[in-house]
Amino acid sequence: METACLSPDQQGFARAAAILRSGGLVAFPTETVYGLGADARQDHAVARIFEAKERPRFNPLIVHVDSIETAKAYVEWDAEADALAGAFWPGPLTLVLPLKPGTGLSPLVTADLATLAVRMPDHPVAQGLLAAFGGPVAAPSANPSGRISPTEAGHVLAGLSGRIEAVLDGGACPVGVESTILGLAGAPTLLRPGGLPVEAIEAALGQPLRLYGAGDPVSAPGQMQSHYAPGGLVRLNATERREGEVLLGFGAVEADLNLSVSGDLTEAAANLFHHLHALDAQGARVIAVTPIPDRGLGRAINDRLRRAAAPRE
Ligand code: TXA
Ligand code: MG
């Protein structure tokens, strides 16, 4: 694949929006860093983000929206969200709020959590793309996993050229560090310091922020071993279906549900949460899973399955 470098004008926005609609990946500038965008409603497109970045696990992603109104369609909005978004959106502040049911977002976006991170970026190119696309854009920073976040189109190309359809070149990002992430599902909690100073948030809220850390149930989002567990137990590397089990397959095996008959890891990632939910809904006592190769997206899939298989509290 050749990565197109698009100019930040109406033609570039239209082309980028068409790529997103067809399930492709477009990197774009925000005021903080460049994001790697996909249509947040398309499972396969979101799976490709993890593939392109070679992320070893499915951490939840931030959904980028064009307005407060749009954000309200996806999350349970409250007075604190209203005050903070009113004061700081568009801008480098991400709010984590309870996810509304039935939004049509891919469960890969939230890593199947009950909360969603949303933000409205303050950059004309990000806004131009969101307007042309007209939908929610899931985007982590546009760097390979474990590398520094990109603040110029050239940084994006150095890391991801040939792995994504396009980058919108909007020059250097003015803020240069990621957004501040604030958890609002409970007491306002700083989840990640970033481009918006904590003092500004505390002044707007009229109260100090809790700091995420010791005493919290998880030390970082998604790290608790059994956090993602379905109702039934999970048995990994199954070679057969035992008494009382349902079998989740990968590749050319006979199973109750198959992540990808053709052995395509991107397709398997796109199906993962949907299939686990479907088997869970059948009331399965044990979900047995056939082996999945531990390369590429298979690493993230296996990480997720190991958490589901971990002993429960
Ligand atoms: O400035 C930014 O925030 C950039 C631009 C592109 O918007 N994006 C960015 O995304 O930094 P990323 O994926 O590199 O970092 C997002 C962070 C991750 O640490 C993730 O765990 C956290 O947001 N996050 C996302 N959804 C969450 C949720 N529901 N609960 C807790 N943390 C969440
Ligand atoms: Mg990042």
Side-chain angles (χ1 to χ4, degrees), residues 68 71-82 84-85 89 94-100 105 110 113-119 181-186 188 191:
I68 293 176
K72 287 180 178 173
Y74 297 112
V75 291
E76 308 285 359
W77 204 251
D78 63 13
E80 281 157 347
D82 222 40
L84 292 169
W89 280 12
T94 295
L95 300 177
V96 176
L97 289 154
L99 176 68
K100 278 190 175 172
L105 294 181
T110 55
L113 296 172
T115 54
L116 174 71
V118 279
R119 89 177 190 93
I181 304 182
L182 190 67
L184 287 180
L191 298 177

Side-chain angles (χ1 to χ4, degrees), residues 32-33 35 55 60 62 64 96 115 117 119 140-141 178-179 181 192 221:
T32 59
V33 300
R55 266 201 183 173
I62 298 170
H64 296 69
V96 176
T115 54
R119 89 177 190 93
S141 50
E178 292 92 340
S179 62
I181 304 182
R192 178 179 74 183

Side-chain angles (χ1 to χ4, degrees), residues 58-60 96 99 107 109-116 221-222 227-228 273 277:
F58 295 119
N59 343 17
V96 176
L99 176 68
V109 167
T110 55
D112 216 27
L113 296 172
T115 54
L116 174 71
H227 184 81
Y228 297 121
F273 293 127
H277 280 287

Side-chain angles (χ1 to χ4, degrees), residues 152-170:
E152 293 173 19
H155 301 163
V156 175
L157 289 170
L160 297 174
S161 184
R163 307 179 68 92
I164 65 177
E165 275 76 5
V167 57
L168 272 165
D169 188 351

